[in-house]
């Protein structure tokens, strides 16, 4: 499969994996937009949020829970942080393997668009 994040899951592309369990892994974004910028991704290839089935939707809760744990580990949980899922072309998605961004460590702008 020609998916860069599947290749990270499979260990074919090396990455500094900071968290792993049976469902997800987390690693630093290659182009960090904040002092903490981690990506939390499912091991399973789900192309985008739009293609997440209802049966699979508990995965999102798990990904958010992992983001919360990592925010604590990074020491940003009390200062505040942001979790983002971009979906599709107009949502700004660039990599078509579902992922949640964890951003923090600086004051983020209020702008969402
Ligand atoms: P999105 O625009 O939400 O699809 O975000 C995709 C993110 O993946 C971007 O922030 C990229 O910098 C990041 N990215 C792309 N390739 C890699 C990689 N090999 N390792 C880590 N992050 C990556
Ligand atoms: Zn994939």
């Amino acid at each position: 499969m020609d998916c860069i994040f599947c290749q990270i899951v499979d260990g074919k592309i090396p990455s500094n994996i900071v968290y792993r369990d049976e469902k997800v892994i987390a690693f630093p974004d290659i182009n960090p937009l904040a002092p903490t910028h981690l990506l939390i991704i499912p091991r399973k290839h789900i192309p985008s949020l739009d293609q997440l089935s209802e049966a699979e939707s508990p995965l999102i809760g798990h990904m958010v829970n992992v983001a919360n744990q990592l925010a604590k580990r990074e020491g940003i949980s009390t200062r505040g942080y942001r979790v983002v899922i971009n979906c599709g072309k107009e949502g700004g998605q660039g990599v078509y393997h579902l992922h949640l961004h964890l951003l923090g460590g600086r004051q983020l702008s209020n702008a969402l668009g």
Side-chain angles (χ1 to χ4, degrees):
M1 166 121 36
D2 188 28
C3 168
I4 196 154
F5 286 179
C6 280
Q7 290 177 55
I8 290 173
V9 169
D10 293 342
K12 289 177 186 148
I13 295 178
S15 181
N16 176 24
I17 295 176
V18 297
Y19 176 90
R20 70 178 84 226
D21 65 26
E22 72 284 359
K23 297 249 178 263
V24 305
I25 65 168
F27 52 89
D29 195 292
I30 204 168
N31 180 28
L33 300 177
T36 294
H37 188 173
L38 298 175
L39 300 174
I40 296 123
I41 75 168
R43 289 179 180 274
K44 180 178 179 186
H45 181 82
I46 298 167
S48 76
L49 194 62
D50 181 56
Q51 284 163 73
L52 186 79
S53 70
E54 186 171 357
E56 289 168 328
S57 64
L59 184 60
I60 298 297
H62 181 61
M63 289 163 71
V64 170
N65 188 254
V66 169
N68 287 345
Q69 284 181 49
L70 291 173
K72 284 195 180 68
R73 194 197 281 177
E74 292 275 316
I76 60 171
S77 62
T78 57
R79 293 166 61 188
Y81 54 94
R82 181 172 294 168
V83 296
V84 176
I85 297 176
N86 296 324
C87 177
K89 183 173 178 293
E90 292 197 357
Q93 187 173 3
V95 175
Y96 280 79
H97 179 128
L98 180 64
H99 53 281
L100 182 148
H101 296 258
L102 168 64
L103 293 151
R106 69 169 172 85
Q107 180 63 55
L108 298 168
S109 101
N110 290 331
L112 282 177

